[in-house]
Structures are given as structure tokens and as C-alpha cells.
Amino acid sequence: MADRVCTMPRHSSELRTGSEPIKARLIALSITLGLCMLVCWSVIFTGNLSGRGASDDLLYHWVAINQFAQEWPTPDLGDYASATAPGYHLLLAPLVRSGLDHTGTQLVASIWTLALLGLLCWVVSRSWGLASAVLMLPLLASMYVIYPGIWLLPDNAGWFFVLGVLLLALRPRTGWGVWALAGVLLLALVWVRQVHIWAAGVIWLAAWLGDQSQTPSDLRTFFTDPVRRLGRTIMAQGFTIPAFMALIWFLGTWGGLVPPSFQDQHQGPNLATPGFMLTQLAILSVFFAPVLIPQLRTLWAHHWRLVLLAIFVGLVLGVLPHSSYSIEAGRYSGWWNLLGKFPTLADRSPIFILGSVMGAVSLTLWLSLAPKRDIWIWLGVLVAFTLAQTANHASWQRYHEPMLLMMIVLIFARSMVLDQLRVRVLLGSLVLSVVLGAITLSSIMGAKPIQTGTNSAQTGPD
């Protein structure tokens, strides 16, 4: 696919370099952070302890934080009440030990969500100015971004470091300083969520590609000048060694990929995950159809074989795995609930298959909007991220949607193709945020209070 994608018309390989006035950028940042605080802190101060977010908070992460607080300064990391690495909990444990209550801890932990959205908004505002606040609305409306800003969930701490690695990988200029900083962020990322070790591959890929002027034009030139490319890659790999050492230490301490208490809950693989991720992308892409459809016409006129290849890949990923709604098989919650309402054939959902095909075509269209070097990076990101998520038994939307939303926003921020379509982009963002916001609000309003004596794993995610 890279052979085809990286030979788009010239305008899609250019990188937006303009910078909006600092005043407009600061206003956009203030709006984004203000809305985030308004939404998250309003729910926190109501004492809302209902639904999946509160369940995972009270029954798992709050328990782990309190365990570490009681054992401080020598917490036992051999087993605790979370399937994630302990970094998020260790940062909050001293505050709880000093007397901070649950509400106070929620407010402190919401800083991760503010940092995530603030960093992304600041980057996007460089090319979109005040309008970047509108592009941020879908993330602000997504329950999978907002829930970790309300309740004690480590998701956004992980996404913050993922975003940091992505931004460094997308830089048109690279070098040992960039790789070293990326290695530090990767180490912090592994300490928060070990599943994100996949981001190491993105650092290696960025080093292999080199600067923007060294970026291969297609798959045939990907391996040109191998000595220099390999030298850069080996250097970048060296900076990721600490993250792998941390992961190996966790594996030895736990005796598995997660702490012992959770080793019977997340063992994969789940082969429906790639097709489900494409289905999610197809749904998100509907809201930007006025942007993508003109691109489809151009792509079909110049690269129709690429479109057919995307259809074939989407069809394979949609047809091969079982795709019926199944709690036992980890195919439930989120859009799975909607898919489960439609009939299936041979344990396969026709809607899922259609979504996988449309998602594959949509992905091709999204990539065609990106600069040339970005295309390679996003291909590497999506392959590595999908493989990591496929290894998880749980094919849950909450693990995928934030990444897809960040990708869409960053493509908007860095594409030169969209200068004449900015209004369509903004309208799509507004409509998508209304839909996601309605789903989030409905989820919060309809949630049942959590009973701390029950096991929330039985209820499943949203």
C-alpha cells in the first residue's frame, strides 16, 4: 500500500508551514482547556460515582493508588488492582498518603487530560488558529477521552505520551536529540501503559526515513541508502532500550504481560480488532464525507488500483474473523452493541464487513491528505498500534477511538490540501462532536451507581 500511497499528486506531499498569530492560538488553547475543565470538574464536584468510568476507578485504580499509598515509600509492584503499569498510580499515591481524598485526587489526575488536549490544541492552532478549538471538540465530546478526565483512569496519561512520540516522529527534521527525547517519552509511556510499547517502532521508522528531504518516494526507494538509514535506526533503537528494559522488568515481576490478578482477562489475540478499527474509522469518516468524497474522485482518477487494493484489504479483514456480538470473545461494548442488533451469517456480521471495507477506503483517503513523510509515519503507527491491540482479547472501542481522533486532527493540522475545504472540516467536527457528546451525556445520565462490593468486569465497558 505504501508503494501506492506515497506517490500521490504533488500537493498532498507538501507540509503546511504557516503559523497563525499567537493571540489566536492562545484563545483557542484557553477555550479548549476551559471547556475541558468545565465538563470534567463539573462532574467531579457533583460526586458522580456511576457507570463504567466510576466502576474502573473505585474497584481498580483507586484501590491500587491506596495500596501504594499505604506501602509508601516501598510499594509492592508484584501485584495490584490494575492491569496497567503502575506509573499513573505511583504519582498519585504520595498525595493520597498525605491526606488527599478521592475528589481531590480526581482533580489532580485530570491534569493529564488537560495536558493531552492542551498539547494537541497548541500544535493544531499553529495552522488553524482560533478554529483549532472547533477541531478539538470531538475529543472533548468523546467519552473515551472525557471519562479519564473525570474518574481515575490512566488512559489519557498514556495518550499524552503517545502524542508526544507521534509529534516527534512527524517532525520534518530529525536527529539524535529528537530520538533521545522520544526514548524518554517512551520510557514514561511504558511505565503508564505497557501495551504502548508499540510506539518504539514509530521512533525506529522515523529514524529510517530521516529528514523530509530523505523520505522515500515509494516502496521501491524505501531501502535506498541502507547504510545511512540503518545507522540512524540503530542509534534510535539505542534510545528505546530503557523502555524495553522496563517492560522486561515488569514481565519478570508479574510473570506475564499484566499483574497476576488480571492474567486471565486480557490474553488474546482478537482477530476482529483490525476490522473493528476500520469500522470505527468509517463511522468517523461519515462526518467528513464532504471533505473525503472530492479526494476519492481524485484518487480514483489517478490511483484507482490503490482504491481497489484498499477494498480488498478491508474485505479480507472483514470476512476472515468472526464478527458477531460476543461477550465471551471480547466483541462487545461501543459500536459492537449496534452491530449486535443486526443479523449475522456464519458468525459474521455483514455490517462489520461493510464497515471494514469502507474504513479501508476511508483510511486511504485520509492518508492521501497527508504530506509524503507523514504517510509513512501513519502507516507505521497504524500497523504497530493495530498489532498491539489485536494481541488483547478485549476489542473495545475505548482502546481505539482516541488514537483515531488524534490522527484525524493531526492530518487536518498538517495537510495543505484542505485550504479550500476548511469550512467543511469545521462543520464536520461540529456535527461529530454533537453526536459523540450526545452519546457521552446519555451514558453518564443513564449510568447506575457503583456498588464497591461487586465486580465491574462483569458489566463490561461502555
Side-chain angles (χ1 to χ4, degrees):
M1 182 177 287
D3 186 18
R4 299 289 186 179
V5 173
C6 290
T7 56
M8 294 296 173
R10 176 176 172 81
H11 62 249
S12 67
S13 63
E14 297 174 349
L15 177 64
R16 179 183 295 277
T17 57
S19 182
E20 292 288 326
I22 189 69
K23 181 178 179 180
R25 298 180 67 188
L26 289 173
I27 293 175
L29 179 63
S30 300
I31 292 173
T32 298
L33 295 181
L35 287 174
C36 182
M37 287 187 288
L38 177 64
V39 173
C40 295
W41 291 4
S42 295
V43 179
I44 290 174
F45 282 123
T46 64
N48 187 308
L49 295 176
S50 301
R52 191 271 302 173
S55 174
D56 285 357
D57 174 336
L58 293 178
L59 300 181
Y60 297 110
H61 303 294
W62 180 238
V63 174
I65 293 168
N66 274 279
Q67 175 188 327
F68 293 159
Q70 294 169 7
E71 297 169 347
W72 199 264
T74 57
D76 179 11
L77 304 184
D79 196 15
Y80 49 92
S82 174
T84 66
Y88 174 86
H89 312 85
L90 288 172
L91 289 174
L92 295 172
L95 302 178
V96 174
R97 183 175 179 83
S98 67
L100 193 67
D101 63 6
H102 185 265
T103 299
T105 307
Q106 286 178 275
L107 292 172
V108 172
S110 68
I111 292 175
W112 286 115
T113 302
L114 292 169
L116 169 66
L117 296 177
L119 176 60
L120 184 57
C121 180
W122 185 251
V123 170
V124 175
S125 69
R126 188 173 188 272
S127 54
W128 283 78
L130 186 58
S132 60
V134 178
L135 295 183
M136 296 301 299
L137 289 178
L139 284 105
L140 278 163
S142 170
M143 73 171 73
Y144 305 113
V145 176
I146 286 300
Y147 275 18
I150 299 172
W151 293 287
L152 298 175
L153 310 174
D155 304 57
N156 286 348
W159 290 125
F160 173 78
F161 292 118
V162 167
L163 176 61
V165 172
L166 289 178
L167 293 176
L168 290 174
L170 289 168
R171 284 173 57 92
R173 292 186 175 273
T174 187
W176 70 267
V178 174
W179 307 327
L181 179 55
V184 171
L185 293 179
L186 181 67
L187 176 61
L189 177 57
V190 169
W191 266 89
V192 173
R193 297 209 68 178
Q194 68 276 22
V195 69
H196 287 313
I197 188 64
W198 61 267
V202 180
I203 300 173
W204 306 341
L205 175 60
W208 178 273
L209 296 174
D211 292 342
Q212 189 172 350
S213 61
Q214 301 165 322
T215 301
S217 59
D218 53 42
L219 194 57
R220 291 185 296 272
T221 59
F222 187 79
F223 297 99
T224 57
D225 199 7
V227 175
R228 291 185 180 181
R229 293 188 189 279
L230 186 60
R232 294 195 301 262
T233 305
I234 292 174
M235 182 180 293
Q237 288 174 333
F239 289 116
T240 63
I241 289 176
F244 280 95
M245 292 178 63
L247 180 61
I248 291 171
W249 184 83
F250 285 135
L251 297 181
T253 301
W254 299 333
L257 294 173
V258 294
S261 297
F262 297 87
Q263 289 180 7
D264 61 344
Q265 298 182 26
H266 293 271
Q267 302 300 323
N270 193 324
L271 299 182
T273 293
F276 183 53
M277 289 179 61
L278 289 175
T279 299
Q280 294 173 69
L281 183 61
I283 294 171
L284 295 174
S285 300
V286 168
F287 297 92
F288 299 101
V291 176
L292 298 177
I293 289 177
Q295 194 67 10
L296 177 59
R297 298 193 188 102
T298 301
L299 198 63
W300 181 259
H302 298 280
H303 301 280
W304 59 270
R305 291 183 180 87
L306 176 60
V307 178
L308 294 181
L309 176 61
I311 292 173
F312 174 76
V313 172
L315 189 62
V316 170
L317 295 177
V319 171
L320 287 185
H322 292 170
S323 54
S324 61
Y325 178 92
S326 172
I327 294 178
E328 294 76 13
R331 301 190 298 267
Y332 65 105
S333 82
W335 294 122
W336 283 115
N337 294 335
L338 180 61
L339 291 173
K341 298 183 182 299
F342 293 90
T344 60
L345 180 63
D347 207 20
R348 287 163 175 82
S349 167
I351 303 299
F352 177 90
I353 296 172
L354 178 62
S356 180
V357 172
M358 293 184 64
V361 174
S362 298
L363 175 58
T364 306
L365 298 178
W366 284 113
L367 292 178
S368 72
L369 294 172
K372 179 177 64 177
R373 190 175 182 279
D374 287 22
I375 294 174
W376 286 109
I377 294 296
W378 285 122
L379 284 172
V381 166
L382 292 171
V383 169
F385 177 66
T386 302
L387 289 175
Q389 293 300 325
T390 301
N392 192 338
H393 174 74
S395 183
W396 289 347
Q397 186 175 338
R398 79 189 214 200
Y399 294 154
H400 314 146
E401 185 169 285
M403 169 60 78
L404 297 176
L405 289 173
M406 286 194 298
M407 180 188 74
I408 289 173
V409 171
L410 286 174
I411 287 176
F412 283 150
R414 297 170 61 83
S415 175
M416 287 293 292
V417 184
L418 300 172
D419 282 343
Q420 306 302 318
L421 302 174
R422 289 168 73 94
V423 173
R424 299 182 186 184
V425 171
L426 296 177
L427 288 175
S429 298
L430 282 171
V431 177
L432 176 58
S433 65
V434 170
V435 173
L436 294 179
I439 295 173
T440 301
L441 182 61
S442 174
S443 177
I444 292 177
M445 297 298 292
K448 297 180 181 179
I450 301 305
Q451 301 296 325
T452 56
T454 62
N455 184 356
S456 68
Q458 297 174 350
T459 64
D462 295 287

